[in-house]
Amino acid sequence: EAGVAQSPRYKIIEKRQSVAFWCNPISGHATLYWYQQILGQGPKLLIQFQNNGVVDDSQLPKDRFSAERLKGVDSTLKIQPAKLEDSAVYLCASSTGDAKNIQYFGAGTRLSVL
Amino acid sequence: AQSVTQLDSHVSVSEGTPVLLRCNYSSSYSPSLFWYVQHPNKGLQLLLKYTSAATLVKGINGFEAEFKKSETSFHLTKPSAHMSDAAEYFCVVTTTSGTYKYIFGTGTRLKVLA
């Protein structure tokens, strides 16, 4: 079974530029999550999708971050414009969304904002 | 509100000696608890989970954890450390209803000395 795929693995941009990350969840997983992991910290949930609807985006900085999951499968996370403090690893995870709620994580995208 | 505290940010053990990574949780509901491991430049991998069945949970790679409600703890142990166990470990609490949101601890970095 293929795991959660993310691209790119690494991205370096300058502040005020824009960047986009892509995630393909495990086939059949209805729930998709985007996390931000700053160095030395645990992952922080940015947004949670159930199929193509948003369940929780309370921690998403909506003035600069946006995310979509148009067909209920792939998802993209965008930052525009980027700030220095956005330097982090962005993790995508997926789950079946049932009570067991085991989340499966991708390898992440490491973003450096200069 | 749910929260989790990992009591040690760094743990060093010698190869072949026991491992103990400590985690305390706070939850208003009957919690589900997980331990994940993150190797450098890799995604998070599930080690084990507790979901109100047996209080002693066995996971992959020889790890196990014991749920102690009276102590609100879920410590991770392994009888004999291997060099390949060196990684970051995260304790996670989640509710058993609603959006099943993950709340991560800050992580414990395990170093294994030869």
Side-chain angles (χ1 to χ4, degrees), chain A residues 9-103:
Chain A
R9 288 297 314 276
Y10 305 92
K11 190 75 177 177
I12 301 173
I13 62 173
E14 295 187 352
K15 59 183 179 182
R16 292 188 290 274
Q17 286 186 324
S18 62
V19 64
F21 313 127
W22 174 82
C23 173
N24 185 272
I26 292 173
S27 178
H29 279 193
T31 308
L32 185 147
Y33 312 80
W34 282 103
Y35 290 87
Q36 180 191 59
Q37 186 178 19
I38 292 173
L39 187 65
Q41 299 181 17
K44 182 185 81 171
L45 180 68
L46 292 175
I47 189 167
Q48 177 180 345
F49 291 95
Q50 180 76 15
N51 297 308
N52 61 350
V54 175
V55 174
D56 184 349
D57 64 356
S58 57
Q59 297 295 306
L60 188 73
K62 298 180 186 63
D63 58 334
R64 298 184 300 106
F65 286 64
S66 64
E68 60 183 14
R69 193 185 184 198
L70 292 175
K71 297 183 179 178
V73 180
D74 294 11
S75 177
T76 56
L77 176 70
K78 297 179 181 177
I79 307 175
Q80 182 180 12
K83 293 185 176 181
L84 296 177
E85 58 261 36
D86 298 331
S87 294
V89 175
Y90 291 85
L91 295 165
C92 180
S94 70
S95 74
T96 56
D98 61 18
K100 293 180 182 178
N101 192 32
I102 296 173
Q103 294 186 23

Side-chain angles (χ1 to χ4, degrees), chain B residues 30-33 49-55 67 96:
Chain B
S30 179
S32 289
L33 293 156
K49 61 179 172 65
Y50 167 78
T51 54
S52 75
T55 56
F67 174 74
T96 55

